[in-house]
Amino acid sequence: MSRRILLLGSTGSIGTQALDVISRSDDLEVVGLSAQTNWRQLVEQAVQHGVPRIAVTDLDLAAQAAEAWTDGEVLRGPEGLVQLVLESGADLVLNALVGSAGLGPTVATLGEGIDLALANKESLVVGGELVMALAEATGAQILPVDSEHSAIHQLVHGEHATGGLDSIEKLVLTASGGPFRGRSRAELEGVTIEQALAHPTWAMGGKITIDSATLMNKGLEVIEAHHLFGTPYERIGVVVHPQSIVHSLITLVDGAALAHLGHPDMRAPIAYALHHPQRVPLPLRPLDLAEVGSLTFEPVDTEAFPCLRMAIEAGTAGGTAPCVLNAANEIAVHAFLGGRLPFLGIPDVIAGALDALGSAPIRAFETLYEADREARAVAAELVEKVAA
């Protein structure tokens, strides 16, 4: 019997690779697709995979899609996206949306008790406490798709099977260091958009690539790991590993460490999440350590890359602080990509928003939506000041 997959964000990097994984499997079936703006590619995917129903988040573009594609149904806007989740009949939802827009579909998925393959780390950054409580209440599984969290999930699962989680001392996420590894803060003055988008090992979308260049992506991943694995921040570490062969590791109470290794290819963690608990063959190059030659590691320079430090501090503060951090980062990255903010202005805007808004207790999801709106407004004002 096929596992029915709903794929949100199917035209992005994770989404297209997920469709490649699904097309190679006889036991996975796509029952719905969504995109923010790229409706033409979305319709092509729907036709190719025999999907009768899609959702386009942008209302104007959704209208264009509905007019052009008459062989299926086009749901519109954020409400249409949630409707697609609720009515899809999916066994598993892969949330590959970018940014805090992924929180609503995550809540809808878990609220229905549907298992979630999560590539949208912002769902846990913004609403981790409530999201994890919702999953526990409904019994839905959250299967991480980020390569680092997929690695830790596999390592933790293996350790749990051999004697429990008390043996785990620390989780260690690896970071490639991005395109500016080794540069001082002074050397980051004036870097261009093209330079920031030139990631050395991973092919990703624009926003996450810039987050990797600032190391904010790794900060968001630390917050995500905290919620996924119930691990205190002081027991989560980050190490720079430019080859991106070791995807993450865990250290144990007896001094040993277990690591997950492989060539950087997102189809591996995607397939792990979609097929869990089974493993399936993939057309990926096996790892040959002699061919790789050497693996190197180095500490993070948080003076040159303060976003990682700010993210961990916001996560430790808790409440709405991670939500403010994420919203301000999205505004700052968008401004940088639009040529309205220098690269070093990104952490300045985030720091300003955190200073202005601090952290408040979270009482409900509406608290998060309000904090997100307020942080975006403050960050937009700061962009104008920093850029002036």
Side-chain angles (χ1 to χ4, degrees), residues 280-294:
V280 297
L282 291 172
L284 306 184
R285 183 162 55 106
L287 180 64
D288 183 337
L289 288 176
E291 176 189 332
V292 172
S294 64

Side-chain angles (χ1 to χ4, degrees), residues 3 28 92 115 141-144 153-154 157 269-280:
R3 179 175 291 181
L28 298 178
L92 178 75
D115 288 344
Q141 288 190 89
I142 300 179
L143 299 163
H153 187 276
Q154 295 173 59
H157 182 76
I270 290 169
Y272 175 79
L274 295 183
H275 287 279
H276 184 77
Q278 281 77 39
R279 288 186 188 271
V280 297

Side-chain angles (χ1 to χ4, degrees), residues 243-282:
Q243 294 82 17
S244 298
I245 295 293
V246 177
H247 297 141
S248 278
L249 60 144
I250 59 175
T251 61
L252 307 177
V253 293
D254 61 3
L258 304 177
H260 181 284
L261 287 74
H263 289 294
D265 191 316
M266 283 304 299
R267 289 176 296 175
I270 290 169
Y272 175 79
L274 295 183
H275 287 279
H276 184 77
Q278 281 77 39
R279 288 186 188 271
V280 297
L282 291 172

Side-chain angles (χ1 to χ4, degrees), residues 321-357:
C323 179
V324 171
L325 171 100
N326 181 75
N329 179 61
E330 289 187 16
I331 292 295
V333 169
H334 182 73
F336 171 71
L337 288 171
R340 297 182 292 112
L341 188 70
F343 183 75
L344 289 180
I346 296 174
D348 290 343
V349 167
I350 297 166
L354 286 168
D355 287 343
L357 298 175

Side-chain angles (χ1 to χ4, degrees), residues 48 194 216 225:
Q48 180 181 354
E194 292 74 18
M216 175 57 83

